[in-house]
Amino acid sequence: MINVAIDGPAGAGKSTVAKAAAKELSYIYVDTGALYRTIALNAVRNGVADDEQGIIDMLSSTEVELGYENGVQKVYLNGEEVSAFIRTPEISMGASKVSAIPKVREFLLELQREIARKNNVIMDGRDIATVVLPDADVKIFLFASPECRAKRRYDELIEKGESVMYEDVLADVNQRDYQDSHREIAPLKPSEDSIMLDTSELSLEESIQAVVNCVKENI
């Protein structure tokens, strides 16, 4: 099986780029962020979002699964398809919080590795090359400047009809970066053998092609 690991900060376009690249290469795309978002959603629903022990206790009654419909990833929480509920700013920040809890990472680790063992995958997240798939065939660290990532996110939210300020979105991006890079467990950082890919000046199509080329050149 061929495993491709893509890491990088929030808003770098990892999911969009990885999904399209996987489609072009006929691989399965695994959005690990969706798994952490699902844990965060469950924590909010259970009223334990700010209670680390409460989140840990909740795991014993939590079942997270990934499914695929026409190549599109769907995420399930205790049998309910929750893909539409995990993309809010509240759940994004919640995902960053729960991902700092070792027991949560442990809980999701085997699920991610099991998928990679059985399929050709492009898996994206924060610590795929360093922790989840350290033996991945290709490792890419996809990044862009905080201002560029905030602008992309801002445009996306405005397009959805949400009322937001660019400055607030940028502050969220910087806060998320700080949380992800300073946590004790699996902090966000490129692995020593990752290919560094800056998408600040690249269009979406150029970013996708750059990832596809990286994969083809390195397997």
Side-chain angles (χ1 to χ4, degrees):
M1 292 299 143
I2 296 167
N3 292 171
V4 179
I6 299 183
D7 294 306
K14 295 187 305 295
S15 299
T16 308
V17 170
K19 194 183 301 178
K23 188 174 183 182
E24 190 168 327
L25 293 161
S26 299
Y27 291 4
I28 279 182
Y29 163 62
V30 184
D31 171 10
T32 62
L35 302 175
Y36 288 99
R37 286 170 179 271
T38 302
I39 298 293
L41 175 67
N42 203 29
V44 168
R45 288 181 171 182
N46 283 276
V48 294
D50 295 312
D51 174 7
E52 182 170 328
Q53 190 55 50
I55 291 168
I56 292 168
D57 293 343
M58 175 195 80
L59 294 175
S60 61
S61 59
T62 301
E63 187 176 85
V64 180
E65 291 176 287
L66 290 180
Y68 296 87
E69 261 178 47
N70 302 319
V72 177
Q73 176 180 287
K74 305 281 186 184
V75 62
Y76 297 86
L77 171 61
N78 297 331
E80 175 194 355
E81 208 255 285
V82 294
S83 308
F85 304 117
I86 60 173
R87 298 295 169 186
T88 67
E90 179 194 14
I91 298 302
S92 291
M93 291 307 286
S96 187
K97 285 180 188 171
V98 301
S99 66
I101 302 172
K103 289 286 185 192
V104 172
R105 304 195 74 81
E106 203 179 288
F107 177 76
L108 293 174
L109 184 62
E110 189 49 38
L111 170 62
Q112 295 167 70
R113 286 179 173 167
E114 183 69 12
I115 296 167
R117 274 196 289 270
K118 294 179 177 176
N119 304 278
N120 291 335
V121 301
I122 291 186
M123 187 178 291
D124 81 338
R126 301 285 189 283
D127 64 344
I128 308 305
T130 51
V131 176
V132 182
L133 301 177
D135 298 323
D137 302 276
V138 183
K139 301 175 182 180
I140 299 169
F141 193 84
L142 192 77
F143 66 101
S145 69
E147 293 76 15
C148 176
R149 288 183 281 129
K151 179 69 167 66
R152 290 173 184 169
R153 181 71 179 140
Y154 171 78
D155 290 344
E156 195 181 291
L157 292 169
I158 291 295
E159 201 175 301
K160 287 180 179 175
E162 295 190 31
S163 176
V164 291
M165 300 281 287
Y166 167 77
E167 290 75 13
D168 294 338
V169 179
L170 178 59
D172 276 352
V173 166
N174 285 324
Q175 172 67 16
R176 185 82 191 270
D177 282 356
Y178 184 85
Q179 283 184 353
D180 288 345
S181 59
H182 285 75
R183 66 186 180 216
E184 285 182 36
I185 304 296
L188 170 67
K189 63 177 181 181
S191 67
E192 288 180 9
D193 50 351
S194 286
I195 299 162
M196 303 299 288
L197 182 56
D198 185 351
T199 67
S200 300
E201 304 297 326
L202 300 183
S203 68
L204 176 58
E205 197 46 56
E206 287 169 338
S207 299
I208 294 164
Q209 211 45 57
V211 167
V212 170
N213 292 342
C214 277
V215 174
K216 286 181 175 175
E217 288 163 10
N218 289 280
I219 57 169

